[in-house]
Amino acid sequence: MATSACLTSSKLLTLQICKILPISNVLHRPICTTPLSMAKHWNQKYRKLRAQKVIKVNLPDYEETMRSYNELSKEEMRSKMKEKGVQPSNPSVERPLYLSTTGDIFEPYVPPEGDGKVSFITKEGAKQKLDFVGKKSKSMLAIRKLRKFDDDFEVDDFLVMAQDVYMKAHNALMNVRKDKEELLLHVTEKAYPEMLHNAMDKTIHWKMLGLLEPLRLVQARTLDVISKENLFCQMTVRFHTQQMLAVYDRFGRLIYGSEILAKDVLEYIVFEKHLANRYGNWRVHAKIIPDWMPAKEPAPKTFRLVEEDEKQPQSPTSDSSLQKTKELPPSEMPALATA
């Protein structure tokens, strides 16, 4: 009887629960709102090593990267730099460096003494010829490096181009007061200030009348600057020409040369090209003057003589106190220059 009473009471309890709760909640498992715990590995011995296999990656914040640094305040900038461990940098004072030319001649060619006057039949002339042949191997190696950058390079074509650049540079020097940029197209940044200094306060009349001997390439050298790919090449060309040169001072007086007489000129001109630059051109770089060559006499300089009027007192507002200038006669120019 007791057992039957217990059964009936349990049936009544289940019926009451079914009436109160919906059938879905009774038949199905309740929904778990707590997070599931991660399953542990069966071997806890290498737990630390397994944790080191996982790398935490900080994903980029694209909204932050879209903002420019100008929009951030000083405090926001300071906090971000502190978070990333970046030290505040000083304002940069560095400037970009561009090497378009070298500052000197790699290996200056030493012209033989008596060149242009000594025949090859004589003893001195034969010695000069042997020295030239002995140094020709270095030039051939330099030309081989040059042809890696310029496949169509030929010595004969280069000599024709060198003569053209030489004439354009001297013609630009005569008109340097009107256009200084034209001179920089045909001479390097090393030769540019030197040529301008020689032409300061002067008027130059120059003309090439012809060639006494064909142009000759006497030396070729290459040099890499900073890196092996940044290569410069220098060619030394022998010019034996007939030229006319007349230099006038600022008062229009002839101080050097003549416009009537022509002179034979023997020069060794160095041409340079930046081989690493695709748009580099051959330009006049320097002129070789040997040590054994005697120094030329300096051209006489002209000055202006300042006279003051001693009759009237000097006054900054009076016209009589203005200084008068006059040109010196040619006889007084050397004496004043030495004084």
Side-chain angles (χ1 to χ4, degrees):
M1 294 293 291
T3 55
S4 61
C6 291
L7 290 172
T8 54
S9 60
S10 62
K11 289 180 180 180
L12 292 171
L13 183 60
T14 52
L15 290 171
Q16 291 177 357
I17 292 172
C18 291
K19 289 179 180 179
I20 297 170
L21 299 174
I23 301 172
S24 60
N25 293 344
V26 177
L27 300 178
H28 299 281
R29 296 178 60 185
I31 300 172
C32 182
T33 57
T34 58
L36 297 175
S37 60
M38 186 178 296
K40 293 183 179 180
H41 197 273
W42 63 274
N43 188 0
Q44 297 295 321
K45 182 178 180 180
Y46 302 102
R47 180 178 178 182
K48 185 178 180 181
L49 297 177
R50 285 193 297 270
Q52 291 177 358
K53 292 167 62 176
V54 181
I55 301 175
K56 294 182 180 180
V57 179
N58 294 326
L59 298 177
D61 189 359
Y62 294 103
E63 294 183 359
E64 180 183 353
T65 54
M66 291 293 290
R67 297 175 61 188
S68 61
Y69 287 102
N70 298 329
E71 299 177 1
L72 299 176
S73 62
K74 292 184 179 180
E75 290 297 329
E76 291 178 348
M77 181 73 72
R78 179 175 175 274
S79 62
K80 288 184 180 298
M81 294 178 68
K82 198 171 183 180
E83 178 184 354
K84 297 178 181 179
V86 179
Q87 294 289 341
S89 60
N90 296 328
S92 178
V93 294
E94 297 180 358
R95 295 182 179 179
L97 181 64
Y98 174 66
L99 296 176
S100 62
T101 182
T102 57
D104 205 352
I105 306 174
F106 306 154
E107 186 179 337
Y109 176 76
V110 181
E113 191 170 357
D115 188 13
K117 300 179 181 179
V118 180
S119 175
F120 292 138
I121 305 173
T122 61
K123 180 179 178 182
E124 291 80 5
K127 186 177 180 181
Q128 293 177 9
K129 191 68 175 177
L130 289 174
D131 292 342
F132 174 73
V133 173
K135 296 179 181 178
K136 196 173 182 180
S137 59
K138 288 186 177 180
S139 300
M140 296 301 293
L141 291 174
I143 293 175
R144 186 180 300 177
K145 286 185 180 180
L146 171 60
R147 282 176 176 160
K148 292 181 180 179
F149 294 87
D150 188 2
D151 299 335
D152 301 331
F153 177 81
E154 293 294 338
V155 177
D156 296 337
D157 298 339
F158 166 75
L159 294 176
V160 174
M161 184 271 305
Q163 181 181 353
D164 184 51
V165 172
Y166 177 81
M167 296 181 64
K168 287 182 178 179
H170 283 76
N171 291 330
L173 183 63
M174 290 191 294
N175 303 323
V176 70
R177 293 182 179 179
K178 298 179 182 179
D179 190 4
K180 292 185 178 181
E181 296 181 357
E182 181 68 21
L183 179 62
L184 197 57
L185 295 176
H186 308 293
V187 300
T188 60
E189 284 76 8
K190 175 188 176 298
Y192 181 75
E194 297 175 359
M195 296 180 71
L196 282 185
H197 177 73
N198 294 331
M200 188 182 301
D201 297 332
K202 299 180 183 68
T203 302
I204 301 174
H205 292 258
W206 176 87
K207 186 177 181 181
M208 180 182 283
L209 303 178
L211 295 175
L212 298 178
E213 293 183 33
L215 302 184
R216 190 172 76 232
L217 179 65
V218 295
Q219 182 172 284
R221 293 292 184 270
T222 57
L223 180 69
D224 54 312
V225 180
I226 299 177
S227 62
K228 292 185 178 180
E229 292 79 13
N230 192 24
L231 205 66
F232 288 86
C233 183
Q234 290 182 355
M235 298 281 195
T236 306
V237 182
R238 180 180 182 271
F239 281 81
H240 196 190
T241 59
Q242 193 175 32
Q243 302 177 10
M244 181 275 299
L245 176 65
V247 182
Y248 298 88
D249 64 356
R250 54 184 174 170
F251 301 114
R253 295 179 176 179
L254 182 67
I255 60 176
Y256 184 81
S258 173
E259 292 193 40
I260 302 173
L261 300 177
K263 288 190 176 183
D264 300 343
V265 181
L266 179 62
E267 295 176 309
Y268 288 87
I269 307 299
V270 180
F271 294 86
E272 186 182 79
K273 181 180 180 181
H274 190 193
L275 300 180
N277 186 5
R278 183 181 298 178
Y279 306 102
N281 297 321
W282 289 102
R283 297 185 293 175
V284 177
H285 184 65
K287 178 181 176 181
I288 295 179
I289 301 176
D291 298 334
W292 50 264
M293 187 175 180
K296 294 183 179 180
E297 295 183 1
K301 295 183 179 180
T302 55
F303 303 89
R304 61 178 183 175
L305 182 62
V306 180
E307 294 182 354
E308 297 181 356
D309 194 354
E310 300 178 355
K311 296 181 180 180
Q312 296 181 359
Q314 295 182 359
S315 173
T317 56
S318 61
D319 297 336
S320 60
S321 63
L322 296 178
Q323 298 176 349
K324 298 180 180 180
T325 62
K326 70 176 184 178
E327 300 177 6
L328 293 179
S331 59
E332 296 182 7
M333 286 192 297
L336 185 57
T338 54

